[in-house]
Amino acid sequence: MARRLRIGYVIRDLRLGGGTQNHLMQLFERLDRRAFEPSLYLLRDCGELVDRVRALGVPVVNGGMDGPLLSPRIFPCIARFARLFRKQRLDVVHTFLPRGEFVGSLAARIARVPVLICSKRGCHHRRGREAVAARISNSLADCVLVNARAVGEFVTADEKCPADKIAVIENGVDVDRFRLAEDPAPFKRRLGLAPDRPVVGTITRAKAVKGYEEFLRAAAKLRQQRADVQVVVVG
């Protein structure tokens, strides 16, 4: 039987409510442990999801880094991660968000990990130190993974990432999580909605980067075809 692929995931923390953190949590829950051996490297060991990751049997390493991107604690954190990457003979390092990308990328290259992946999951303008760190991480990565073609185009333009490094894997949605076990009519009434009419909606932070405008434009087009559709925005 072939050895399981060892993957180290690097992120700043695992706070509840962050889209990237929730995505990583779902990945740990669904990853085929017969083929993959995951471990989690946190720049700082905090967040409501950490205990859930440990309960899944995923080893968690605390880098002990706090403060801004170029905090003096960044250097011991990089050194510790590089040492552990070598010791555990990781096959892949997969990084998330600016701090995780920067620390994880440098540590992976110091440790000579065979494959380095940086993930981008939104169109976020990086400025100052974050912009410099993003470009360094992108240059070191073998692959820059994005969850939408638009994100890839944005990263290429904003972070000067070579387009041939971009790979797109769109978000998967477990639709069974959203199936109601009961009649939806009472829930609609609580929201002041007509129980016999279809509903489309969005629930997200009220920030322009979350794409409210795109949703509203799409909802307006839908209403032209289906006048009975009810639109709900929760921010």
Side-chain angles (χ1 to χ4, degrees), residues 92-174:
V92 180
V93 166
H94 191 166
T95 68
F96 297 84
L97 301 177
R99 288 173 176 81
E101 291 169 10
F102 187 63
V103 170
S105 297
L106 290 174
R109 286 311 178 211
I110 292 171
R112 298 184 179 181
V113 175
V115 177
L116 170 62
I117 301 172
C118 288
S119 268
K120 315 282 182 175
R121 302 185 55 77
C123 300
H124 304 291
H125 291 285
R126 304 303 180 193
R127 295 292 179 262
R129 295 175 177 178
E130 280 197 354
V132 174
R135 293 185 185 186
I136 291 173
S137 302
N138 294 341
S139 69
L140 294 174
D142 295 295
C143 172
V144 176
L145 188 62
V146 299
N147 59 346
R149 186 176 60 185
V151 175
E153 293 170 352
F154 178 89
V155 170
T156 298
D158 190 70
E159 299 182 8
K160 311 304 180 189
C161 179
D164 59 0
K165 281 194 175 185
I166 300 289
V168 180
I169 299 180
E170 297 177 344
N171 289 339
V173 178
D174 182 2

Side-chain angles (χ1 to χ4, degrees), residues 63-94:
M65 177 185 165
D66 206 346
L69 180 62
L70 295 183
S71 163
R73 295 185 180 181
I74 192 173
F75 301 108
C77 183
I78 292 172
R80 184 182 187 201
F81 283 3
R83 184 171 63 254
L84 290 173
F85 291 172
R86 280 195 298 265
K87 181 178 179 180
Q88 297 181 7
R89 294 186 298 159
L90 294 184
D91 301 294
V92 180
V93 166
H94 191 166

Side-chain angles (χ1 to χ4, degrees), residues 1 15 24 54 63 134 143 170 184 198 204 209-210 233:
M1 182 176 179
R15 294 173 297 164
L24 192 52
R54 290 193 174 103
C143 172
E170 297 177 344
T204 185
V209 72
K210 294 299 182 181
V233 177

